[in-house]
Amino acid sequence: MSNVDKRVLKTDRLIKKTFVDLLSKEEISKITIKEICDQAMISKSTFYDHYEDKYILLKRISDEYAQKFQVRIHERFKSVSENNTFQVIGHITKELSVYNQQLSVLLRATKGEDSLENKMRRILIEESLTYFSFHPTNKNFSKIFLAKMYAELALASISFTLINHQNTDLLDQQNRFINLLQDAVKEND
């Protein structure tokens, strides 16, 4: 366990929360360090003790979400062979719903090659390629095609979840649809 002072962790969480709240209202280019500090009720020196600038803060938050996403997606692929995919998909969907606002803001705020969406895409492609390398797939499609198509469908599914997070009937249908797609990709016997 880390020996980091709880006050430092609490301040770090406050900075991140304040920044995401501000990002939900305005573009990053319009947000100032002073505004973050005023909203979080911290000094500029405290901010700079934690982050070099607002772009490093955004990258760090984005990296944390990508790391959590990596763990969940790894669990999801592991569950395919354990036959509990539906439970894992349900768990991922619930988690996305809980972080709906933050994730929506981060997906919108991060741009370019290092965007959260591109990080998620790379994670999905890598994890699915790993999975397809050790499991039979439908012989009509290459593994790279399946991995890339899976990544795009998963990103569309995430977007759907973020938009419809309060409609449990639609989310249930989404989970069933994902399982249908998964079954279609399996090798034809």
Side-chain angles (χ1 to χ4, degrees):
M1 184 178 241
S2 178
N3 289 334
V4 178
D5 187 327
K6 289 180 183 179
R7 293 171 297 179
V8 172
L9 293 173
K10 188 176 178 181
T11 301
D12 193 56
R13 276 194 293 260
L14 178 62
I15 292 169
K16 290 174 184 172
K17 181 188 178 322
T18 301
F19 184 61
V20 171
D21 289 347
L22 288 169
L23 275 173
S24 71
K25 298 170 192 156
E26 55 190 314
E27 292 182 29
I28 191 170
S29 62
K30 296 183 180 180
I31 297 172
T32 65
I33 302 301
K34 181 181 181 336
E35 188 177 11
I36 297 167
C37 295
D38 288 349
Q39 291 287 320
M41 297 190 330
I42 61 169
S43 67
K44 281 186 174 183
S45 63
T46 300
F47 178 89
Y48 288 115
D49 285 344
H50 290 263
Y51 301 100
E52 293 175 39
D53 60 32
K54 62 187 177 183
Y55 298 101
I56 297 295
L57 172 56
L58 180 60
K59 182 179 181 334
R60 185 99 33 92
I61 295 169
S62 173
D63 288 347
E64 288 173 6
Y65 270 88
Q67 187 175 24
K68 289 178 188 176
F69 185 73
Q70 171 96 45
V71 169
R72 295 292 176 246
I73 294 303
H74 185 75
E75 286 176 5
R76 190 247 185 267
F77 277 105
K78 183 179 171 196
S79 74
V80 173
S81 57
E82 294 172 0
N83 220 10
N84 69 343
T85 305
F86 191 78
Q87 291 171 329
V88 174
I89 291 171
H91 182 72
I92 291 171
T93 301
K94 284 179 187 169
E95 191 169 291
L96 287 174
S97 296
V98 169
Y99 296 108
N100 177 53
Q101 181 188 359
Q102 297 96 326
L103 192 53
S104 295
V105 166
L106 291 171
L107 285 168
R108 189 184 83 254
T110 58
K111 306 283 186 219
E113 195 58 34
D114 205 31
S115 70
L116 181 56
E117 181 178 340
N118 280 331
K119 289 175 189 176
M120 293 167 77
R121 179 177 285 110
R122 285 189 293 272
I123 289 165
L124 288 161
I125 291 170
E126 289 169 14
E127 288 288 334
S128 57
L129 274 174
T130 300
Y131 175 82
F132 295 146
S133 296
F134 296 103
H135 295 84
T137 58
N138 187 310
K139 300 294 184 220
N140 293 317
F141 305 102
S142 70
K143 289 176 179 20
I144 190 69
F145 170 81
L146 289 173
K148 287 185 174 193
M149 184 57 74
Y150 175 83
E152 295 309 317
L153 290 171
L155 289 169
S157 181
I158 289 166
S159 176
F160 183 88
T161 299
L162 294 173
I163 292 167
N164 298 290
H165 69 280
Q166 293 180 327
N167 189 327
T168 55
D169 181 52
L170 286 178
L171 295 180
D172 181 52
Q173 290 180 59
Q174 174 192 20
N175 285 337
R176 291 195 318 264
F177 183 74
I178 289 169
N179 283 332
L180 275 174
L181 288 175
Q182 178 182 298
D183 290 342
V185 169
K186 291 180 183 174
E187 183 175 32
N188 293 335
D189 292 327

